[in-house]
Amino acid sequence: MAEKPQAAGDLGSFRLKRLLKDARYVDDRQGIAADKAEDALLWDLVAEVARETRVPAPEALVLVPDAEISVAKAAEGGFALYIGVPLALALPAVELKAVVAHALAVMREPHPELAAGLVRAREAAQVRADLWVSQAPRLSRHFQQVLDDSAGFHADIERHADRAAATVAGSRERALVAMVRAQAIAEHFAEYAGCYVLGAADVAPDLFTDWLNVAAQPVPDWASNSLPLPNLATRTAFHPGLRTSGGSLNRARQAVNPLVPASGEPVVAGFADDVSDALASFIEVDRGADYSIGYAEAGEAVLAGAGRLLGRDATPADVVDLVADDRGAELAVAWFELLAAELEAGKASGFVTERIQRAAMEPASTLGEALQVFLIAVAVRHGYRFDAVLHPGELMADGGEPIKTYAVISEAVAGDTARLAQLVAQLAEGA
C-alpha cells in the first residue's frame, strides 16, 4: 500500500482552507485550453517534467495571458497546469522545464489544489503586506499574519519545489537563473502590457510579439528600473534551496539581461493569432490610471536641478558641462530632490510616482536615469518623440532614423561626455 504523502508544514485540509479564507484568496484566472495537436511541444514538455519529478501529469493545460505557472483543479476533473504565454514564448526550454517542475511540486501534496491555492495566496498576501505597510497598517498586519501562519508550509513547499527545479535544470544555479528570469518577466510584462494596451487603443497590437521584441533588448547597468532584480528576489525566502553561494543571486541577475536570451530556443515560437488576441483581451487595464509616465517633465527637472547648482537658469549645454566637470552626482541628487518636492506638493507625474513613491524615496536615482529623461526633455522640445513601450532608449522624428541613447549615456556616466555634447547639439539643430 502506497504511503500517504506528508502535508507540507503539517497542514491538513481544514487548516489549508482556513488560511485561504484568511488570505481572501479568489481564483479568477482566465485562459484558453492548449490544443493537444497545435501545442504538442508544450504538452510533451509538461509530460516530460512530470516523469522526471515523479508526479502525476496534469490532465489539462490552460494558456493564460500573464507570466505565471500554477496548478488548479480542472473543470473536467483532475488537475490543470496554467501556463503564462509570456513564459512559454520567452524562456529557453530548459528554464521553462525548471519553472514547470517548481509549480508541479504541489502535486506531491495530499491536497494539491489547496496547496497550490495557498502558494498563490501567499504571493498575493506578500504584495499586499508590502503595499499597505505604510498606507494601511491594519490591513498590512492582517496579511503579514497569513504569511506568518503559513511560513512552515512555505518552507516545506519551497524545499521540495527547488529540488525539483534543480533536478530538471541540471544544477541549482541554472534553476535559480530560470526562477529569477521568470519573476523578472512577470514584473516586466505586467508593467508593459497595461501601458501598451492603453497607448494603442486605436490599434490592434500584436501584444506578445511586440513585448518580446522589447524584452530581447539588453539594458545598461545604470537603467536601474528597466531590468530590475525581481522584487521577490530581494527576500531571503526567494528560492533559498537554489542559492549555492552569496553571489549566486547576483550572477542570476546578470544572466537575465536581456530578459529574452540571445541563445536558447523557447519551446514554442508562437501561438495561433486568434489565441493571442483572445488572451490579450483578458488583460484588465484601469483606463482611469495614469500610465503616461512624464519622462519629459522629469527631464525638465534635470535642467532645474542644474540651475539650482549654478545659481541661474541652465541650458542643456550646462547639464553636459556639469557632468564633464565631474559634478554628475551632485546633479542627480539635485534632480531627485526636486522630484521628491513635486511628489510632496501633490504635483507628481507618472514618472515621479513610478521612481520615487514605489521605492519609498530611496535610493536616490542614478545619474544615468537623470540623463535619460534629460535627453527626452530636450528632444521633445525640438520635435522628437519618445515611445517608452516599443522603443526604449530611442528618440524618433518623422522621416529620420531613430537616435539611440543608451551607449551615449553609458559613456557619459563613465566620464566621457563627448558624444553627449554632440547629441545635445544635434537635437537642438533638429528643431
Side-chain angles (χ1 to χ4, degrees), residues 330-346:
E330 293 178 63
L331 177 63
V333 169
W335 172 63
F336 184 81
E337 289 174 347
L338 285 168
L339 293 184
E342 288 188 9
L343 179 63
E344 292 177 359

Side-chain angles (χ1 to χ4, degrees), residues 273-292:
D273 289 345
D274 59 338
V275 172
S276 294
D277 292 345
L279 290 172
S281 72
F282 293 154
I283 296 174
E284 295 184 3
V285 178
D286 180 1
R287 298 192 176 274
D290 177 15
Y291 284 96
S292 60

Side-chain angles (χ1 to χ4, degrees), residues 1-331:
M1 184 175 178
E3 183 180 350
K4 187 176 181 180
Q6 180 69 34
D10 296 325
L11 295 183
S13 62
F14 176 81
R15 187 62 182 144
L16 284 167
K17 290 176 182 177
R18 180 66 192 177
L19 283 168
L20 288 172
K21 183 178 180 181
D22 289 345
R24 300 170 190 174
Y25 171 69
V26 177
D27 188 354
D28 55 357
R29 288 169 290 190
Q30 289 183 290
I32 296 174
D35 185 87
K36 286 201 172 184
E38 291 185 4
D39 304 313
L41 292 174
L42 200 56
W43 277 93
D44 290 345
L45 178 140
V46 172
E48 180 184 349
V49 171
R51 285 194 302 271
E52 290 184 24
T53 56
R54 299 181 181 180
V55 299
E59 285 86 351
L61 295 184
V62 182
L63 303 175
V64 293
D66 296 312
E68 66 165 333
I69 298 183
S70 58
V71 173
K73 269 292 186 73
E76 61 274 19
F79 294 92
L81 183 68
Y82 287 73
I83 296 184
V85 164
L87 297 179
L89 293 173
L91 287 176
V94 66
E95 294 184 14
L96 181 61
K97 286 177 62 178
V99 181
V100 168
H102 195 275
L104 288 180
V106 296
M107 297 298 290
R108 290 184 176 274
E109 290 295 300
H111 309 286
E113 75 283 7
L114 296 177
L118 187 53
V119 169
R120 286 170 55 81
R122 277 185 56 88
E123 293 173 358
Q126 184 71 71
V127 170
R128 292 170 181 172
D130 292 345
L131 178 65
W132 291 330
V133 66
S134 59
Q135 301 173 11
R138 290 184 62 185
L139 285 172
S140 180
R141 284 195 296 271
H142 170 83
F143 288 106
Q144 185 59 54
Q145 187 63 52
V146 171
L147 295 171
D148 293 343
D149 290 347
S150 59
F153 162 86
H154 180 257
D156 285 352
I157 283 287
E158 276 298 300
R159 184 173 65 255
H160 300 152
D162 285 347
R163 186 181 299 123
T167 296
V168 299
S171 72
R172 284 183 289 173
E173 189 139 328
R174 184 61 186 271
L176 181 61
V177 169
M179 304 312 295
V180 170
R181 194 189 309 278
Q183 185 62 39
I185 285 172
E187 295 177 10
H188 188 270
F189 183 79
E191 179 177 358
Y192 167 92
C195 295
Y196 188 64
V197 169
L198 276 183
D202 57 342
V203 181
D206 188 353
L207 180 59
F208 300 105
T209 299
D210 289 337
W211 169 75
L212 279 171
N213 290 335
V214 175
Q217 300 180 33
V219 176
D221 291 340
W222 52 260
S224 60
N225 188 66
S226 297
L227 189 73
L229 182 64
N231 291 331
L232 290 177
T234 61
R235 302 192 182 100
T236 56
F238 185 82
H239 305 295
L242 300 179
R243 300 189 188 194
T244 56
S245 67
S248 60
L249 194 57
N250 286 331
R251 290 194 297 274
R253 179 188 187 183
Q254 294 167 5
V256 302
N257 185 9
L259 286 180
V260 180
S263 60
E265 292 296 321
V267 179
V268 290
F271 294 93
D273 289 345
D274 59 338
V275 172
S276 294
D277 292 345
L279 290 172
S281 72
F282 293 154
I283 296 174
E284 295 184 3
V285 178
D286 180 1
R287 298 192 176 274
D290 177 15
Y291 284 96
S292 60
I293 311 300
Y295 291 99
E297 293 87 344
E300 293 293 342
V302 178
L303 284 161
R308 175 183 288 188
L309 295 178
L310 296 171
R312 57 175 172 79
D313 289 342
T315 67
D318 289 327
V319 172
V320 178
D321 290 341
L322 283 169
V323 179
D325 292 341
D326 201 25
R327 299 185 69 185
E330 293 178 63
L331 177 63

Side-chain angles (χ1 to χ4, degrees), residues 402-421:
I403 298 173
K404 298 185 182 299
T405 63
Y406 279 170
V408 174
I409 295 171
S410 295
E411 290 174 7
V413 170
D416 182 358
T417 59
R419 285 215 291 168
L420 178 64

